[in-house]
């Protein structure tokens, strides 16, 4: 089983409009709703790849009940979310059909009490006993300590479970110091962590700070990896146009599935890059175009990268 942690779950709502214009009224041509938050997106892709996945985190209020109701219909995913008194957030993605651009609106999430946080830590420790790997994903809801991911990483390491961290800001900085097996920041998050805007140099600096391996997302330019086994750049065959929501989460699923399957790094990176591009091409947030994934996988270029000066 692969465990994904989404402390700030969401109901992802995608609106499609002909053209998005400020200060104007719009007719919505299509609405889709999905259980969301980064870890739930990761879990959905992992399940589609054939892996058994358990999701945990928090869910509360009417929105949380809707998220859990929809999870019951998701094949291959076990719901281990914990109830909270606050209301789960919603995220709104508005897709401009003319340009292909997406505007994202994210609510902050419920306030988590100290008792709810303590209950989660106990449940997390129990879930790790059956996990082959764990992904810690996304933002922290109000009330959860900023060093939460660092503590969860240490718990996973003590249990002998490989851990991937995908977050940003201070939670990322503190999490890296706890020595996760892998982090997957984008270029902006990596620059904020290290102070360097040169991705390879920044990735190597992040490894010195504690991360065993670093895979940096370069958006439409693919992925850059620096690991104990070497350094690689994975580039998609063409720039994908569409909704980028969830593309990074699909990359995380590709990396995590490759880890538990013991694939060599170039194969992990090719899978992650193809899944990310196929997610951009999908009509709804948090999904990937399976036909496009199959076609892209064999066309991703993975090349060895020289060390930064």
């Amino acid at each position: 089983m692969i465990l994904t942690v989404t402390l700030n779950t969401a109901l992802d709502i995608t609106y499609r409009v002909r053209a998005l214009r400020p200060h104007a009224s719009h007719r919505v041509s299509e609405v889709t709703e999905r259980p969301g938050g980064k870890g739930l997106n990761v879990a959905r892709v992992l399940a589609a790849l054939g892996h058994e996945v358990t999701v945990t985190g928090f869910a509360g209020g009417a929105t949380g009940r809707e998220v859990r109701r929809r999870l019951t219909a998701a094949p291959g995913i076990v719901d281990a979310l914990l109830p909270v008194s606050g209301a789960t957030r919603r995220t709104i993605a508005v897709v401009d059909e003319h340009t292909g651009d997406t505007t994202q609106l994210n609510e902050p999430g419920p306030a988590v009490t100290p008792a709810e946080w303590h209950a989660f830590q106990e449940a997390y420790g129990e879930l790790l006993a059956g996990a082959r790997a764990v992904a810690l994903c996304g933002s922290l809801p109000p009330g959860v300590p900023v060093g939460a991911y660092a503590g969860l990483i240490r718990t996973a390491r003590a249990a002998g479970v490989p851990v991937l961290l995908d977050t940003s800001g201070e939670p990322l900085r503190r999490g890296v110091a706890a020595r996760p097996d892998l982090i997957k920041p984008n270029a902006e998050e990596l620059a904020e962590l290290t102070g360097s805007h040169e991705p390879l140099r920044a990735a190597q600096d992040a490894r010195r700070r504690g991360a065993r391996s670093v895979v940096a997302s370069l958006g439409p330019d693919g992925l850059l990896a620096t690991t104990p086994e070497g350094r690689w750049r994975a580039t998609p065959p063409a720039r994908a146009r569409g909704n980028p929501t969830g593309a990074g989460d699909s990359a995380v699923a590709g990396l995590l599935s490759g880890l538990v399957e013991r694939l060599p790094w170039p194969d992990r990176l090719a899978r992650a890059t193809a899944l990310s591009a196929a997610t951009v091409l999908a009509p709804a947030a948090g999904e990937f175009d399976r036909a496009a994934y199959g076609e892209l996988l064999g066309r991703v270029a993975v090349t060895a990268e020289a060390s930064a000066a």
Side-chain angles (χ1 to χ4, degrees):
M1 175 268 284
I2 299 175
L3 178 64
T4 73
V5 174
T6 313
L7 297 177
N8 210 3
T9 55
L11 182 65
D12 286 344
I13 304 170
T14 303
Y15 294 136
R16 300 183 71 87
V17 299
R18 185 177 298 245
L20 182 62
R21 302 184 306 279
H23 316 298
S25 178
H26 298 78
R27 288 190 179 276
V28 176
S29 61
E30 183 183 352
V31 181
T32 57
E33 296 184 355
R34 300 282 193 281
K38 294 179 74 64
L40 267 64
N41 291 338
V42 171
R44 189 160 43 242
V45 176
L46 285 169
L49 294 172
H51 288 275
E52 295 181 357
V53 192
T54 296
V55 298
T56 191
F58 297 114
T63 306
R65 288 193 294 274
E66 179 63 13
V67 166
R68 301 192 78 168
R69 185 187 72 80
R70 289 177 176 271
L71 279 175
T72 62
I77 298 178
V78 175
D79 173 8
L81 296 171
L82 274 70
V84 289
S85 56
T88 294
R89 65 189 179 130
R90 297 161 297 178
T91 66
I92 312 295
V94 184
V95 180
D96 184 319
E97 294 177 336
H98 177 68
T99 64
D101 293 335
T102 300
T103 299
Q104 190 84 14
L105 304 173
N106 296 329
E107 295 178 357
V112 176
T113 69
E116 289 166 343
W117 174 235
H118 178 72
F120 172 81
Q121 292 177 86
E122 289 193 338
Y124 171 75
E126 294 173 0
L127 288 167
L128 284 173
R132 300 173 64 193
V134 59
L136 308 175
C137 302
S139 61
L140 301 177
V144 172
V146 70
Y149 282 138
L152 298 181
I153 289 166
R154 286 190 286 269
T155 302
R157 286 176 55 83
V161 179
V163 57
L164 182 154
L165 177 64
D166 184 16
T167 189
S168 60
E170 187 65 12
L172 174 61
R173 188 184 71 80
R174 297 197 187 195
V176 165
R179 305 185 68 80
D181 294 271
L182 174 62
I183 63 171
K184 195 219 65 65
N186 61 33
E188 181 179 344
E189 292 162 350
L190 191 58
E192 182 182 3
L193 173 67
T194 65
S196 174
H197 291 272
E198 200 291 307
L200 181 56
R201 183 175 291 108
Q204 293 179 169
D205 183 30
R207 287 197 63 216
R208 287 190 288 270
R209 292 168 185 255
R212 177 174 172 80
S213 298
V214 179
V215 176
S217 173
L218 306 179
D221 295 324
L223 300 173
L224 176 67
T226 177
T227 79
E229 290 78 25
R231 294 171 293 274
W232 295 272
R233 186 180 295 265
T235 308
R239 180 181 292 260
R241 290 190 59 82
N243 183 359
T245 304
D249 305 329
S250 292
V252 167
L255 295 169
L256 205 57
S257 63
L259 184 155
V260 299
E261 293 172 29
R262 301 183 183 275
L263 296 181
W265 270 105
D267 291 346
R268 299 185 204 182
L269 295 167
R271 177 183 291 181
T273 302
L275 282 168
S276 181
T279 299
V280 175
L281 296 171
E287 304 288 344
F288 71 94
D289 185 318
R290 298 193 187 207
Y293 167 63
E295 191 272 334
L296 288 164
L297 183 59
R299 300 175 58 207
V300 173
V302 183
T303 56
E305 190 81 0
S307 177

